[in-house]
């Protein structure tokens, strides 16, 4: 029996269930529920990008103490590294102009910042999702090498580095006219 004097204005469990179903349905279709904000870009998988960024380095087998090398040293080329085509081309260019050789003043590998690898496992210091869907991952390589910043972007379902930067400042990016050592 219905009584008007006992009307309750709080949503029933059925109303709450319908509101939740509407939210899920709209989200699945790319819409937004009433009162919900739409970012337009899905939130990047920051943990996945960080994990992929760390694969730029690997522990050399059989080394005591452990030595960490760039991924290119594992197979002898950059093909198995999580790099975009532009980063591979940029690293190949640096090699072709003698970067990493004593003649250029940068007698160390660009990725590790050393001549003989890292003596400590690289660690993610921070990972921040950017508005464009990429993730900026800062990796501690030292001491002494400066921190290494890797911009990770999803390409064909995989996280790849689209920029590498050693240290800070205008010459940090590998795409600078004269990148930091």
């Amino acid at each position: 029996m219905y009584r008007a004097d006992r009307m309750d204005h709080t949503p029933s469990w059925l109303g709450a269930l319908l509101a939740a179903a509407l939210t899920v349905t709209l989200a699945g279709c790319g819409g937004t529920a009433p009162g919900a904000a739409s970012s337009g870009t899905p939130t990047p998988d920051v943990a996945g990008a960080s994990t992929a960024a760390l694969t730029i380095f690997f522990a050399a087998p059989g080394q005591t103490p452990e030595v960490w090398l760039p991924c290119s040293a594992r197979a002898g080329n950059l093909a198995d590294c999580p790099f975009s085509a532009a980063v591979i081309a940029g690293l190949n260019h640096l090699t072709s102009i003698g970067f990493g050789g004593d003649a250029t003043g940068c007698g160390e590998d660009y990725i590790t910042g050393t001549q003989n690898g890292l003596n400590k496992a690289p660690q993610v210091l921070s990972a921040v999702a950017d508005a464009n869907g990429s993730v900026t991952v800062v990796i501690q390589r030292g001491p002494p090498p400066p921190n290494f910043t890797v911009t990770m972007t999803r390409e064909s379902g995989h996280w790849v580095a689209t920029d590498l930067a050693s240290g800070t400042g205008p010459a940090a990016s590998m795409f600078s006219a004269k990148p930091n050592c």
Side-chain angles (χ1 to χ4, degrees):
M1 172 166 132
Y2 175 77
R3 289 183 43 184
D5 63 328
R6 303 275 319 214
M7 183 184 248
D8 186 5
H9 291 286
T10 59
S12 68
W13 66 271
L14 182 58
L17 181 63
L18 289 173
L22 174 65
T23 301
V24 170
T25 302
L26 287 173
C29 295
T32 57
S38 173
S39 67
T41 304
T43 303
D45 176 14
V46 173
S50 297
T51 299
L54 283 175
T55 66
I56 291 171
F57 306 93
F58 78 101
Q63 298 292 313
T64 305
E66 207 166 47
V67 175
W68 291 79
L69 301 172
C71 56
S72 59
R74 182 182 347 222
N77 63 50
L78 299 169
D80 291 331
C81 296
F83 296 147
S84 67
V87 166
I88 290 173
L91 289 170
N92 284 333
H93 171 73
L94 289 177
T95 300
S96 74
I97 62 170
F99 188 94
D102 290 332
T104 62
C106 291
E108 57 263 350
D109 173 72
Y110 182 78
I111 294 172
T112 63
T114 67
Q115 290 182 352
N116 301 312
L118 302 171
N119 295 323
K120 179 179 165 188
Q123 297 179 2
V124 172
L125 295 178
S126 66
V128 177
D130 299 324
N132 64 2
S134 64
V135 176
T136 301
V137 181
V138 177
I139 298 173
Q140 182 180 26
R141 299 184 291 185
N147 291 337
F148 196 56
T149 302
V150 183
T151 303
M152 301 296 289
T153 305
R154 295 284 286 180
E155 288 185 6
S156 302
H158 297 88
W159 285 106
V160 296
T162 53
D163 193 10
L164 305 174
S166 181
T168 58
S173 172
M174 65 172 287
F175 296 113
S176 299
K178 185 177 184 312
N180 292 342
C181 295

